[in-house]
Amino acid sequence: MKTTIIALALLFSITIEAQTDPKIYDIVDAVSEDRLRNDVKKLADFGTRHTLSDTLSETRGIGAARRWIKSEFDKISSNCNDCLEVFYQKDLVEKGTNQRIVKDVMVVNVVAIQRGTKYPNRYIIMSGDIDSRVSDPTDYTTDSPGANDNATGMAGAMEASRVLSQYKFENSIVYVGLSGEEQGLFGGQGLAKYAKENEWEIIGVLNNDMIGNITGVDGVVDNRTFRIFSEPITTDITDPKTLARQARSRRFYGGEVDGISRQLARYVHKTTKTYMPEMNPMMVYRLDRFGRGGHHRPFNDQGFAGIRIMEAHENYTQQHQDIRIENGINYGDTFEHVNFPYCKKLTAVNAITMASLASAPPSPKEVGIGGVVEASAKFKWNKVEGAKGYKIYWRDTTSPTWDNSRYVGDISEFTLEGIVIDNYFFGISAVGENGHESLVVFPNKIFR
Ligand SMILES: [Zn+2]
């Protein structure tokens, strides 16, 4: 009898402590380097995919490119019992909107939605870009293969859909090719607005922009490291009183490095470290590269969590360049510079992050923290439907990652005995029956 109880207890603790899901390893393995290579080649061979380029030709220009992308998503869908909803989402951008829009243009995104079984209106989004450019951003006729920037991100989104469409997930997954990136982030703006208008509940946006270069202009060759850019806190609120209140709260309680995009970045970091430990995810605590931006930004602007996933070492002679040889240097973003084993790895990083998040229950919305001048930190949160339990995380205030955690069951308050509130940052995630976890929520309430 006693043995049975011990055995049961052991089984129970193994189940709740399970850190890995074998399905996720299968997903890593299923991502195909060959298919990525074929897709990048195909995209580069459209000559140019400049946002303002020809839309009528069947072989050249952004029109041909987006029709091909849509036809690929349609094909992928027919291989999974029509599991993808594939459509164009478009907005007219008028000449003169900025200096790079030299004529009226329809900015067209290609969207494929894999509908969630339990939370159809909750979305995790992976984006790449359809468009490309050369040295002059308004030159829409010259050859602009955009192999790394950003056929790699586009091919990654398509390949992730091939792999993940073989599974079912509780939350919806969106695979999207955005346009107008190089002209001023227009495709992202269009889709972010569409999402807002249609009341999408976005879990997060994984914007992939340049995921295939391993030979940096800095001389470093590195096929392990990649960057995860995230802005520190949300930037959609503009009301001065609310901003002042939030600033005051951060001054006393912290939170300046714990916005929703940062939690998404940590989730990518953790998922990678768990399932692909050979990789070196490098979080960068800034929206994007110095003074620059990408297609996650329009989503951030609408208050959604969004990050950029990108190679760690860029090569500027191979982006936004006319194809030419100058002083013995081959300029241009051409197919032969792309490293496909690396592109496969970064595509897998996206796929496993999305598979995990799409399998997880929603995060608790309200997370309260207490324990001022006490020996222990206390927590209260709202229960989430579909969660079998919760995980309380804490870390040193100087640490970038959630280093300590304590699983608690299906309860809504807990005291972390002996952990003094003053010395750490805290957060809580919801854990599903299958062991998959939501994003971590930084406390948004204080109680005594
Ligand atoms: Zn670019």
Side-chain angles (χ1 to χ4, degrees), residues 44-103:
D45 284 348
F46 285 109
T48 175
R49 301 186 310 282
H50 192 286
T51 299
L52 304 176
S53 63
D54 183 70
T55 58
L56 300 176
S57 163
E58 281 307 317
T59 53
R60 188 178 174 86
I62 195 161
R66 69 191 174 223
R67 285 190 294 278
W68 175 74
I69 292 163
K70 181 169 182 298
S71 74
E72 275 302 300
F73 279 132
D74 284 334
K75 208 186 292 173
I76 294 161
S77 185
S78 63
N79 287 332
C80 60
N81 285 317
D82 297 326
C83 77
L84 301 180
E85 299 159 28
V86 185
F87 60 95
Y88 293 123
Q89 185 276 318
K90 53 188 164 186
D91 290 285
L92 179 72
V93 179
E94 286 177 9
K95 176 181 175 178
T97 301
N98 69 24
Q99 287 178 345
R100 293 183 180 188
I101 304 289
V102 294
K103 59 176 181 176

Side-chain angles (χ1 to χ4, degrees), residues 50-52 93-103 105 131 133-140 180-186 320:
H50 192 286
T51 299
L52 304 176
V93 179
E94 286 177 9
K95 176 181 175 178
T97 301
N98 69 24
Q99 287 178 345
R100 293 183 180 188
I101 304 289
V102 294
K103 59 176 181 176
V105 62
D131 63 306
R133 60 165 282 195
V134 285
S135 303
D136 171 1
T138 64
D139 175 356
Y140 54 84
E181 198 270 343
E182 306 290 5
Q183 306 316 106
L185 310 176
F186 289 103
H320 305 174

Side-chain angles (χ1 to χ4, degrees), residues 129 131-133 149-150 181-182 209-210 289 292 308 319-320 333:
D129 301 303
D131 63 306
S132 65
R133 60 165 282 195
D149 182 13
N150 184 13
E181 198 270 343
E182 306 290 5
D209 195 346
M210 294 190 257
R289 293 146 311 149
R292 302 174 74 183
R308 179 185 188 138
Q319 50 177 267
H320 305 174
D333 188 357

Side-chain angles (χ1 to χ4, degrees), residues 89-94 97-98 101 107-109 111 125 127-129 131 176-198 200 202 205 207 293-304:
Q89 185 276 318
K90 53 188 164 186
D91 290 285
L92 179 72
V93 179
E94 286 177 9
T97 301
N98 69 24
I101 304 289
V107 170
V108 183
N109 301 319
V111 185
I125 300 176
S127 70
D129 301 303
D131 63 306
V176 60
L178 299 171
S179 298
E181 198 270 343
E182 306 290 5
Q183 306 316 106
L185 310 176
F186 289 103
Q189 280 172 30
L191 188 66
K193 202 160 100 314
Y194 177 92
K196 196 94 182 173
E197 284 166 3
N198 287 280
W200 284 15
I202 294 183
V205 177
N207 171 40
H295 249 153
H296 51 310
R297 197 184 96 198
F299 293 91
N300 294 158
D301 290 342
Q302 295 282 359
F304 297 125

Side-chain angles (χ1 to χ4, degrees), residues 12 14-18 20-21 23 118-119 170 356 359-362 384-390 407 409-410 430-438:
F12 184 63
I14 286 169
T15 319
I16 59 164
E17 293 301 326
T20 56
D21 174 354
K23 175 179 81 188
K118 189 167 177 186
Y119 308 103
E170 293 186 354
S356 303
S359 303
V384 175
E385 195 223 313
K388 72 165 180 193
Y390 302 86
Y407 177 80
D410 189 16
V431 183
E433 290 294 341
N434 51 25
H436 286 288
E437 274 183 68
S438 73

